[in-house]
Amino acid sequence: MHNFEKLLFWQKSIVLAKNIYIVCQEINNDEKYGLISQIKRCTVSIPSNIAEGSGRNSTKEFNHFLAIALGSAFELQTQLILVRELHLLPEEMVNTLLNEVSEIQKMIYSFKNNLK
């Protein structure tokens, strides 16, 4: 069992989720129940799956939940690219978020490989 709160990529994913919630307030209400809802769900899924996996009984199970968290990070990346393409947020703001997502993806991937 791992203490997920000490995992840097979990900490960064919490910061990312907070940042996503803040910038989503900038997007018009027409998207509130569409794209924004989906973005918030997959963003929260990243640290949630890291935490859930850390409490599992085996490395194999933890690895599985890290894979789900990684998948959510790639889903978020895709949705942010769509936000950028639709000009729903300033490009610079989206690119900053995409850089955060990319860093978390790399950290999860590296941790998964070392966990085996």
Side-chain angles (χ1 to χ4, degrees):
M1 178 156 49
H2 292 81
N3 182 349
F4 65 89
E5 291 180 273
K6 291 186 178 184
L7 297 171
L8 184 58
F9 55 91
W10 178 85
Q11 295 169 6
K12 287 183 176 283
S13 67
I14 288 292
V15 171
L16 174 63
K18 183 179 79 173
N19 291 340
I20 290 289
Y21 267 77
I22 290 168
V23 301
C24 281
Q25 294 174 2
E26 302 291 322
I27 297 176
N28 65 41
N29 283 338
D30 293 345
E31 285 300 327
K32 190 159 293 270
Y33 298 106
L35 187 57
I36 300 310
S37 176
Q38 186 64 27
I39 287 171
K40 288 179 176 180
R41 277 195 307 273
C42 71
T43 300
V44 171
S45 177
I46 299 167
S48 297
N49 278 292
I50 294 166
E52 184 172 354
S54 73
R56 294 298 174 133
N57 293 325
S58 71
T59 300
K60 182 179 177 181
E61 285 181 294
F62 189 21
N63 208 6
H64 172 74
F65 280 91
L66 289 173
I68 294 170
L70 190 56
S72 293
F74 280 101
E75 181 182 356
L76 176 59
Q77 179 183 7
T78 300
Q79 292 162 359
L80 289 173
I81 290 168
L82 183 57
V83 165
R84 184 179 60 199
E85 294 297 314
L86 293 171
H87 307 288
L88 297 175
L89 289 171
E91 187 171 345
E92 185 176 297
M93 185 183 291
V94 176
N95 288 341
T96 299
L97 294 169
L98 285 168
N99 287 336
E100 290 180 49
V101 173
S102 178
E103 182 181 12
I104 292 166
Q105 289 167 338
K106 290 173 187 172
M107 293 175 83
I108 294 172
Y109 184 79
S110 177
F111 188 83
K112 273 179 58 51
N113 284 341
N114 291 326
L115 194 59
K116 296 177 182 176

